[in-house]
Amino acid sequence: MDALQHIAQDCMKKELPALNIGDTVKVHVKIKEGDRERIQVFEGTIIAKKHGGISETFTVRRVSHGCGVERVFPVHSPNIEKVELVRSGKVRRSKLYYLRDRVGKAAKVKEAIR
């Protein structure tokens, strides 16, 4: 078990981005298409975070062409190039699943002044 934890600590990223619930972020993801590799940007609001060491994840939601799209990103994945903070949000919940039912301006998160 100690060897497994040692391997997991080697795979973990040293510098973690300061991610909070309600923040709008740009996630730069490496996409492999055949033998070529490119970077795709996914911009949206963080609606959930799950903690747990090497298996820590965060969920990003955006509305694309009138359809809600959610992606779950592992924090320590080598496929994530970087995470940019676009704006920070002011929320009072740890999970923002209620945004799935909201449409238009009602689905917005207030901006925090930091």
Side-chain angles (χ1 to χ4, degrees):
M1 190 67 181
D2 292 330
L4 200 62
Q5 289 176 345
H6 185 68
I7 292 170
Q9 293 218 340
D10 290 344
C11 296
M12 291 175 76
K13 290 185 179 175
K14 304 299 183 235
E15 70 286 336
L16 288 177
L19 303 173
N20 294 314
I21 308 296
D23 290 352
T24 302
V25 293
K26 285 184 182 177
V27 183
H28 297 256
V29 186
K30 292 180 190 173
I31 303 291
K32 192 164 180 132
E33 296 171 334
D35 58 343
R36 297 179 61 208
E37 194 173 272
R38 65 183 179 90
I39 293 180
Q40 186 180 54
V41 180
F42 189 87
E43 182 175 353
T45 305
I46 298 177
I47 63 167
K49 277 174 66 175
K50 298 210 174 170
H51 298 287
I54 190 75
S55 61
E56 183 177 351
T57 62
F58 62 99
T59 305
V60 180
R61 177 181 175 81
R62 77 169 182 202
V63 178
S64 178
H65 301 289
C67 182
V69 178
E70 291 183 10
R71 283 189 69 178
V72 179
F73 296 103
V75 173
H76 301 288
S77 172
N79 291 332
I80 292 182
E81 187 71 26
K82 65 179 176 178
V83 179
E84 286 181 39
L85 180 69
V86 176
R87 50 175 247 163
S88 51
K90 179 184 177 187
V91 293
R92 297 176 59 151
R93 301 277 177 273
S94 63
K95 304 283 191 273
L96 303 182
Y97 296 140
Y98 64 88
L99 292 179
R100 293 172 177 166
D101 301 327
R102 306 253 175 121
V103 180
K105 285 189 177 181
K108 284 179 132 184
V109 175
K110 289 182 185 176
E111 187 166 1
I113 300 163
R114 292 183 185 164

